[in-house]
Amino acid sequence: MSKLRFKVVEEAYNRKATPVEIPIERPDQYYGKYVFNRQKMAQYLPKDIYEALVNAIDNKEPLSRHVADSVAEGMKRWAIDNGARHYSHWFHPLTDGTAEKHDAFIDLDGNGGVVEEFSGKLLVQQEPDASSFPNGGIRNTFEARGYSVWDVSSPAFILGKTLCIPTIFISYTGESLDYKAPLLRAINSIDKAATGVAQYFDPSVKHVTSYLGWEQEYFLVDESLYSARPDLVLTGRTLMGHESAKNQQLEDHYFGAIPSRVEAFMLDLEIECHKLGIPAKTRHNEVAPNQFELAPIFEETNLANDHNLLLMSLIAEVARRHKFRVLLHEKPFAGVNGSGKHNNWSLGTDKGVLLFAPGRTPMGNLQFITFVVNVMAAVHRHNGLLKASIMSATNSHRLGANEAPPAIISIFLGTQLSGILAQLEQSTKDELINLAGKEGLSLGMSQIPEILVDNTDRNRTSPFAFTGNRFEFRAVGSSANCASAMIALNAAVAEQLFDFKEKVDARISNGETLNHAILEEIKILISESKSIHFDGNGYSEEWKIEAAKRGLDCEINVAKIFDAYLEDKSIEMFRKTGVFSKVELEARNEVKWEMYTKKVQIEARVLGDLAINHIVPVAMRYQAFLVDNVLKLRKLFSGEKGEDITNRDIVAIESIASHIAKTKDEVAEMIEARKKANRIENEREKAIAYHDTVVPSMAKIRDYLDALELMVDNEMWPLPKYRELLFIR
Ligand code: ADP
Ligand code: MG
């Protein structure tokens, strides 16, 4: 009998909510308490230094050494006042997550004691021993050093007792080894490109900002149950487990009442978020049991992304306090929905205009249409690349499955906008369309006020949907660094806007009016990029066939999807926008392939262990019990009667025996497939081999184990079952 399983299930079911320490102050009092924001800067820095720093942030001006020294001194005082002992350059290497190396503020004072010190030099630049971060060969080819350099645009914060300074991470020769450096470059590029186009409509525009509002989905599992599942501990997902009789079919979890243990956890998490300046706002149950979501108010993309990464560390820590483990994996459980991280993305001018929001004037609407159509053109041109930007070993379980955005990128525009574009494409006059941003809808019930409807309908099956004043890139994975998607999207749209401006300018120099030039170019773009527009059901089989006919990227092999980064048009786009050099792209793809292989390899090893050392022995014990039972019954009842009584057990014994045999054979095959793949030197080929041979083998093993789960005595089964993992009491 499996004592461990029953013990952990009992522990989990008896667990009460952990009380939360709620600050007595209101949120406005503690919001940003641990962030070196402008208010703290003003308080801790001399006035001239404060002004120089703000100028550097707002106008992207370089900082002098003198200013940096003074900022470091002020930052240190603030950090120490708030209990910090250490400082750390905080960066985003090409792994999932963040990296930090802590140093104490102390320095020897020469008299046998120490002083707490922090200089501008240490604030601005450090040289972490980074040879063990993924680099795709860059660091072997060139000088093996790496630098982390202060990102002035994202505020420092205190996590635990450590002052964290957001930094980019680059090689000695300037290649990026992280997500932040290229993200900043992409943001710069779209600022330039979009400003150029926005100035057609308002010449006073100086900057365009890229905004990101992410929605983080996650699962919670009780810590006792979690610790009894080696697959969850080592890979973040269950590699086996038969579906629970009840999962999400009653649709009773989405927006359902939040269990009290979970609500306490959420409140605790939100308070921590607010102290760190993460504007957490929305929380709700998601579709699958034990699945939840947190969404903040949207922010400038670089800051929003830092906040998402910070949240991913924070959520794990707070979950532990509540005796939960958080699963950020895209597909922790088969048979129920996986987790994504919708990236709501928009552009806004420094004059406060959101460029994807319908305007109030005909010119405002032309601007809106201009930007929407350019996004459409960019997504059309780079649909394969955008898919590559969200692809990973973990997200591959979610995409293409019948619950999440398909492995084909298309744009959903909604009836109204689709109609307008169709009309525009056909129109022969330079007419501007009058579209009210929101229309009132009277419900005909006098006690209910008139409501405003978004002029966009909802389509949950689209990977990239227009939602009123923004686009929602839904294909991003829950464990991903959003920067990957944001780099590709901002850069692709920047390239398109540069191109658009060049063409419109050329028409104007040929004597066309501005309106005419813009409308003509828009018409061309609408007609050229039509095939990316799809408002139907993205999960349907017909769409897969239709998309292939339209020439959209339909590749489903993860390892081959990454090839999109190295297509000529991608290399050219990243070069033009200054986001990546070819060397960087090649190196990063090496890392992607390597990561893919390693993740599958780890999962395959864990599954082999579960099969051979956890499940097969138990199945054999149960089989022996059945055999013993049959032999005894036959002794008791001889002849036909004995056979009659035992023949169902014989069938069960045969079935168990055959599943055990098939499991053993397939595990041997899987190990052989790995050995063969491991001999391949080329990272791309190796990843393809893992995808084509190891992954299918794992699926077969899982099938056998899940079938055994239904045959073997429940009391003997060693691992917590889905029905136990998935329902928090
Ligand atoms: P839903 O799940 O219905 O799409 P949510 O309220 O869960 O909506 O999430 C919406 C997200 O979109 C929030 O993070 C919000 O801050 C963000 N958002 C809203 N407007 C914009 C915008 N203009 N640009 C970027 N993000 C936005
Ligand atoms: Mg959403």
Side-chain angles (χ1 to χ4, degrees), residues 202-277:
D202 177 357
S204 73
V205 169
K206 289 207 172 55
H207 283 292
V208 169
T209 304
S210 159
Y211 293 105
L212 166 64
W214 42 265
E215 301 163 47
Q216 179 73 55
E217 294 180 344
Y218 59 92
F219 279 84
L220 288 175
V221 177
D222 182 88
E223 72 173 14
S224 299
L225 296 170
Y226 172 90
S227 62
R229 292 281 314 212
D231 46 357
L232 281 183
V233 174
L234 294 178
T235 73
R237 74 173 178 116
T238 55
L239 299 173
M240 50 164 289
H242 197 279
E243 245 183 74
S244 163
K246 174 182 190 289
N247 46 47
Q248 64 187 42
Q249 63 272 62
L250 298 179
E251 295 171 350
D252 52 354
H253 193 254
Y254 190 58
F255 281 17
I258 300 173
S260 57
R261 264 188 83 190
V262 177
E263 202 172 332
F265 154 79
M266 286 175 162
L267 180 61
D268 205 358
L269 176 63
E270 285 154 4
I271 293 169
E272 294 295 332
C273 280
H274 292 163
K275 286 183 189 163
L276 279 161

Side-chain angles (χ1 to χ4, degrees), residues 213 215 293 342-344 458 460 467 470 472 474:
E215 301 163 47
E293 178 182 302
H342 298 176
N343 277 205
N344 294 272
R458 291 264 171 167
R460 295 273 168 199
T467 53
R470 61 190 186 269
E472 191 170 334
R474 298 209 182 99

